[in-house]
């Protein structure tokens, strides 16, 4: 059975409508610079992989964004998601997917 995330509060966004699953994607550090924004909202997704595919599709051909996303850690809420689980970890309406690239410091 796939893992689920349903403990986060729903958020109202421009993409929210009847029967829509809207997830917020929040970018940090180099991911924010590559995306050119703080966050995106994606709708009608059910897995982490679908969320990532949706933000990649919005920036088709943007090699910098693709590189940063490929090396970033991904969290749903405060839970890290392993790369080999992107296709099985489910997202729910209102979830926040955090994109954290590697960074120096402590």
């Amino acid at each position: 059975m796939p893992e689920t995330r349903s403990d986060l509060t729903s958020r109202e966004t421009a993409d929210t409508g009847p029967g829509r699953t809207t997830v917020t994607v929040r970018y940090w550090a180099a991911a924010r610079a590559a995306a050119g924004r703080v966050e995106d909202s994606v709708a009608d997704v059910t897995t982490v992989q679908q969320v990532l595919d949706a933000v990649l599709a919005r920036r088709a051909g943007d090699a910098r964004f693709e590189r940063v996303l490929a090396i970033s850690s991904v969290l749903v809420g405060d839970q890290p998601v392993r790369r080999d689980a992107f296709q099985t970890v489910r997202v729910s309406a209102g979830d926040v997917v955090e994109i954290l690239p590697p960074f120096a410091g402590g």
Side-chain angles (χ1 to χ4, degrees):
M1 182 169 173
E3 299 174 56
T4 62
R5 295 281 308 154
S6 60
D7 60 343
L8 295 175
T9 309
S10 294
R11 294 172 44 123
E12 288 293 315
T13 69
D15 291 337
T16 300
R20 298 201 74 173
T21 300
T22 302
V23 173
T24 300
V25 182
R26 192 168 297 142
Y27 305 107
W28 295 94
R32 181 175 292 174
R37 58 189 312 140
V38 173
E39 64 185 37
D40 277 316
S41 292
V42 295
D44 301 327
V45 292
T46 58
T47 66
V48 170
Q49 187 62 57
Q50 289 176 346
V51 170
L52 300 176
D53 290 346
V55 296
L56 282 167
R58 290 182 183 179
R59 294 168 182 84
D62 184 341
R64 178 181 177 207
F65 183 75
E66 290 177 24
R67 280 191 309 272
V68 170
L69 195 59
I71 63 170
S72 293
S73 296
V74 176
L75 288 81
V76 176
D78 61 354
Q79 298 297 311
V81 180
R82 294 184 332 267
R83 290 196 175 281
D84 63 354
F86 285 177
Q87 292 186 16
T88 59
V89 174
R90 300 184 65 78
V91 293
S92 301
D95 278 350
V96 178
V97 176
E98 310 275 358
I99 308 297
L100 291 97
F103 52 91

